[in-house]
Amino acid sequence: MGLTQLDKVWAEHVAADLGDGWSLLHIDRHLLHDLSGTGGLEEIAERGLSVRNPELCFATPDHAVSSAPGRTGETFAPGARLHAGLRDLSAASGLHYFGLGQMGQGIVHVMGPELGITLPGVTLVCGDSHTCTHGGLGALAFGIGSSEVAHVLATQTLRQRKPKTMRVSFEGAIPTGVMPKDMILHLIGTLGAAAGTGYAVEYAGSAIRALGIEGRLTICNLSIELGAKMGFVAPDDTTFAFVEGRRFAPKGAMFERAVAHWRTLPSDPDAVFDREVTIDMASVSPTITWGTSPEHAIAVDGIIPDPGTAPDPDRRAAWRSALDYMGLEPGRPLAGTKVDWVFIGSCTNSRMSDLRDAARLARGRHVAAGVTAWVVPGSEAVKREAEAEGLDAVFREAGFEWREPGCSMCVAANGERVPPGARSVSTSNRNFVGRQGPGARTHLASPAMAVAAAVTGAITDVRRL
Amino acid sequence: MQPFTRVVGPAAPLLRQNVDTDLIIRIEPLTQLKPSELGPHAFEQIRYRPDGSDDPDFVLNRPQFRGAPILIAGRNFGCGSSREGAVWALMSAGLRCVIAESFGDIFFANCFQNGMLPIALPGATVERLAALAADGAPFDVDLVGKVVRAPGGETVPFDVDAQRREALLEGLDEIGRTRKRDAEIAAWQAQDRTARPWIWQLAS
């Protein structure tokens, strides 16, 4: 029987067999941010330990820093201690650090791929659940807690059990108006937010092969919202072309040698998965969430579901509670619901392809009266490239605010919140109760749908714009 | 790490599915407070009324569940963010054990790093235990015997990974244990520098 990509990459990284199915897994790349990264560095310092392999650690502030134009690490005062801690402890430990205003700074999951830190077949971790994003390049990447961050800093390893495998194949041509975000929201809406628990998900199929790397990063980013702590795409020529020439990527003959190895990583044709799912692309529409779990996803031209029709009592209760929090009535179309805020950004959708999609629709239009709309680029590099293309001007002229890179309103750790009761269409990954601020009502959607909402002032089918 | 051997006390039923770690603890307190200070912020969005007073309908505010050390939760408890503060907040609020049909993978692992016991049981069993818990009568969660004893005498055995159980019972320090294997890590890295030099020879 053939091997899956998970089997191959896992086996390559076992530094010791700990018995009972446990492996001591070597970690090739460790990303740190100003929340869990600062905490992890403080913890090992308090214990009198040092960073075992600082050359494999890459740090940047993203969570608790302001995204206001002209910001410094102190602009959001409650985050100043975390920002300074990450900067100073990174310097003291000799790990790579990318500060505000420097190329490299940005959301950790934008930084890794863009700098060539993320490579096919590496094990990569970060104290952040959206670390699964890096699977878009064929990395085995997953989020960990603070204790595990300290463990990786001190030992460059983790004690892990190998997950089960699930292959999700998206087959067929990508319909007009459908973005990678729609594909993954559709999957989560179909399978549920716990379907991936205990699994590593491999995304496959003709529609995945047709996507660029940034689209694959978006798909992998929401693996955790399916319940899977890791999700990845087999590396292919698209992957290698993306990696080549990036700052920390191998160069010249070393690159060729690496590519030869990376070509051996995809799952064998006769590999068997614990679960197989196929999604027919013809069934995927522009998709948006209506409730407080990413599984509450429907086609944008769909009807707000009636809890009375829920398949079981648990979901009936969850749907009722979600509708109450979201201020929505069942049985009505979701499209047309008035919107107060639009947020384009986050590790899901803040890369160049996202901003180009958004700018194409924003050009020549204007944000509707009563709507506040932000664009927060994912990194300093994205910001500079977008400005060089004039996208910032397009957004500004259309009435969007153009801001500094970071997590911003996706997680609201930096004081940037959607006000209580306000309705937001957001390109981020979580519509949880209070995620974008206490009482905030979040609808997850693609950058294109976010622009459609911003310029019409309501949830709008982008195909009708 | 604080060892876990046995916990006896009321079990508060919170059978809401997909309770995410943002709901357990908002991120803002995590930027400001120590783990031991997070208890008052646990579940704050569903625990307090708009004026800041306790919402009497929230299970941990009911008299029989104040200070309960056990939570009986809905499916996919602790999904979402990797924030270990979710475990710290629950522990700071006095909880030591969560019983649910399933858990978010990262939350589940974080529990074992902190002396918190997550127990996965079939959904029907969880519902039955929640019904038995309603009046606040004490449950006995025994990690040595791998059994939950419910009020009225029902005994429910549970599975727990052998290595995780040992670490909880002994309060073992994971970093310390792994550091004893440093020679193996060094040997692995030495061969990997030859096998995959691009991992190690970072350009720039």
Side-chain angles (χ1 to χ4, degrees):
Chain A
M1 191 173 79
L3 299 174
T4 64
Q5 182 170 333
L6 176 73
D7 294 329
K8 297 179 194 183
V9 177
W10 191 277
E12 195 170 36
H13 287 86
V14 176
D17 181 346
L18 302 173
D20 303 326
W22 287 87
S23 299
L24 188 63
L25 205 63
H26 187 266
I27 302 302
D28 300 336
R29 299 284 186 260
H30 188 188
L31 310 184
L32 297 106
H33 62 70
D34 47 339
L35 277 188
S36 58
T38 306
L41 288 163
E42 284 172 349
E43 184 179 336
I44 66 159
E46 280 163 18
R47 295 177 60 149
L49 300 171
S50 54
V51 179
R52 193 184 187 289
N53 289 99
E55 73 278 20
L56 303 182
C57 302
F58 301 82
T60 192
D62 60 7
H63 275 65
V65 291
S66 169
S67 72
R71 57 98 186 270
T72 68
E74 289 78 44
T75 303
F76 176 59
R81 180 188 66 80
L82 295 165
H83 170 264
L86 186 68
R87 179 193 60 205
D88 298 345
L89 291 166
S90 294
S93 299
L95 46 89
H96 307 270
Y97 176 78
F98 309 97
L100 299 181
Q102 294 177 343
M103 286 296 272
Q105 188 271 328
I107 306 172
V108 278
H109 311 311
V110 178
M111 169 191 80
E114 99 188 356
L115 291 182
I117 296 164
T118 311
L119 300 172
V122 297
T123 46
L124 182 152
V125 299
C126 176
D128 189 288
S129 61
H130 290 109
T131 307
C132 47
T133 308
H134 304 263
L137 284 161
L140 195 63
F142 52 98
I144 56 178
S146 310
S147 297
E148 290 174 314
V149 168
H151 190 277
V152 178
L153 287 169
T155 70
Q156 205 55 39
T157 62
L158 276 175
R159 291 167 175 260
Q160 291 288 302
R161 290 187 78 112
K162 194 163 139 188
K164 294 178 286 184
T165 54
M166 183 192 309
R167 179 161 62 188
V168 177
S169 301
F170 290 91
E171 299 291 358
I174 300 173
T176 307
V178 169
M179 303 291 171
K181 180 68 159 287
D182 302 310
M183 293 164 63
I184 189 67
L185 284 176
H186 175 88
L187 178 73
I188 297 165
T190 304
L191 299 187
T197 303
Y199 289 91
V201 177
E202 178 169 342
Y203 300 99
S206 59
I208 294 288
R209 290 288 138 226
L211 290 179
I213 292 302
E214 296 190 351
R216 297 180 190 181
L217 294 168
T218 298
I219 301 256
C220 290
N221 176 268
L222 273 90
S223 299
I224 186 69
E225 312 318 331
L226 186 69
K229 76 175 183 177
M230 50 183 100
F232 53 84
V233 173
D236 59 12
D237 288 339
T238 305
T239 317
F240 310 142
F242 178 93
V243 168
E244 188 169 18
R246 292 187 184 266
R247 181 167 163 191
F248 292 99
K251 306 284 189 309
M254 186 70 86
F255 179 75
E256 295 308 324
R257 188 174 162 191
V259 168
H261 180 70
W262 296 338
R263 288 194 192 282
T264 69
L265 298 177
S267 298
D268 297 331
D270 57 342
V272 175
F273 293 78
D274 296 305
R275 186 173 178 192
E276 290 258 22
V277 175
T278 300
I279 299 291
D280 175 3
M281 285 302 299
S283 69
V284 183
S285 301
T287 300
I288 186 164
T289 62
W290 58 266
T292 55
S293 162
E295 75 180 27
H296 298 154
I298 56 172
V300 66
D301 55 359
I303 299 295
I304 299 166
D306 179 352
T309 66
D312 56 63
D314 279 357
R315 264 177 284 192
R316 194 170 308 140
W319 290 9
R320 262 200 202 106
S321 160
L323 289 172
D324 183 47
Y325 179 80
M326 295 297 289
L328 293 173
E329 281 181 48
R332 310 179 78 129
L334 185 56
T337 306
K338 193 177 161 301
V339 162
D340 308 295
W341 277 77
V342 168
F343 173 68
I344 297 174
S346 87
C347 55
T348 315
N349 283 126
S350 65
R351 300 178 183 83
M352 280 307 297
S353 58
D354 302 311
L355 301 191
R356 288 182 187 125
D357 281 347
R360 193 164 49 243
L361 289 165
R363 193 184 300 272
R365 293 191 169 95
H366 202 279
V367 172
V371 175
T372 306
W374 285 14
V375 182
V376 179
S379 70
E380 183 66 25
V382 169
K383 177 174 174 250
R384 291 187 195 182
E385 190 176 350
E387 289 176 351
E389 285 186 18
L391 303 187
D392 60 322
V394 172
F395 287 122
R396 282 204 190 91
E397 282 163 22
F400 290 82
E401 281 190 38
W402 176 251
R403 299 179 66 92
E404 296 289 327
C407 303
S408 182
M409 209 173 266
C410 166
V411 61
N414 66 346
E416 293 170 0
R417 300 167 165 189
V418 172
R423 187 175 305 283
S424 155
V425 171
S426 175
T427 67
S428 54
N429 37 50
R430 290 190 170 137
N431 52 352
F432 297 158
V433 168
R435 170 78 175 188
Q436 291 197 290
R441 294 165 166 168
T442 301
H443 297 268
L444 304 175
S446 72
M449 293 263 282
V451 172
V455 301
T456 61
I459 292 173
T460 297
D461 187 339
V462 66
R463 295 168 298 192
R464 290 165 176 262
L465 195 63
Chain B
M1 184 182 78
Q2 190 180 355
F4 185 110
T5 51
R6 185 177 172 201
V7 161
V8 178
L14 180 66
L15 292 183
R16 173 180 176 134
Q17 62 173 16
N18 294 329
V19 167
D20 57 77
T21 53
D22 278 79
L23 192 69
I24 297 171
I25 184 76
R26 289 204 67 246
I27 201 155
E28 280 167 86
L30 300 181
T31 66
Q32 308 302 321
L33 300 175
K34 298 191 184 83
S36 61
E37 299 168 342
L38 295 172
H41 296 276
F43 294 114
E44 65 183 341
Q45 298 178 94
I46 51 175
R47 175 174 172 186
Y48 303 115
R49 292 191 288 209
D51 67 359
S53 63
D54 287 352
D55 181 341
D57 289 340
F58 182 66
V59 66
L60 292 171
N61 290 335
R62 291 182 203 147
Q64 69 269 37
F65 296 122
R66 288 204 179 260
I70 302 161
L71 192 68
I72 301 180
R75 185 167 58 81
N76 202 23
F77 185 81
C79 61
S81 162
S82 61
R83 61 190 66 174
E84 200 158 319
V87 179
W88 302 336
L90 295 177
M91 291 191 75
S92 171
L95 291 158
R96 292 299 307 283
C97 173
V98 183
I99 299 170
E101 182 181 344
S102 62
F103 295 88
D105 285 341
I106 304 175
F107 174 84
F108 191 76
N110 286 342
C111 285
F112 289 99
Q113 299 283 352
N114 291 279
M116 166 87 85
L117 176 63
I119 299 175
L121 291 171
T125 308
V126 173
E127 280 180 26
R128 200 169 64 248
L129 292 178
L132 294 169
D135 66 355
F139 279 62
D140 177 355
V141 176
D142 175 2
L143 182 58
V144 179
K146 295 190 286 183
V147 67
V148 177
R149 295 182 193 92
E154 186 181 352
T155 295
V156 178
F158 62 87
D159 283 330
V160 56
D161 177 87
Q163 295 202 9
R164 282 176 155 155
R165 174 172 172 269
E166 185 192 352
L168 274 187
L169 289 173
E170 306 287 329
L172 295 178
D173 168 41
E174 197 168 84
I175 292 179
R177 286 157 73 209
T178 300
R179 275 168 51 81
K180 289 182 183 154
R181 292 182 172 268
D182 197 62
E184 285 165 274
I185 298 168
W188 187 92
Q189 290 188 340
Q191 65 76 31
D192 194 58
R193 283 173 197 274
T194 308
R196 298 186 310 152
W198 60 87
I199 298 299
W200 302 90
Q201 296 170 26
L202 291 157
S204 183

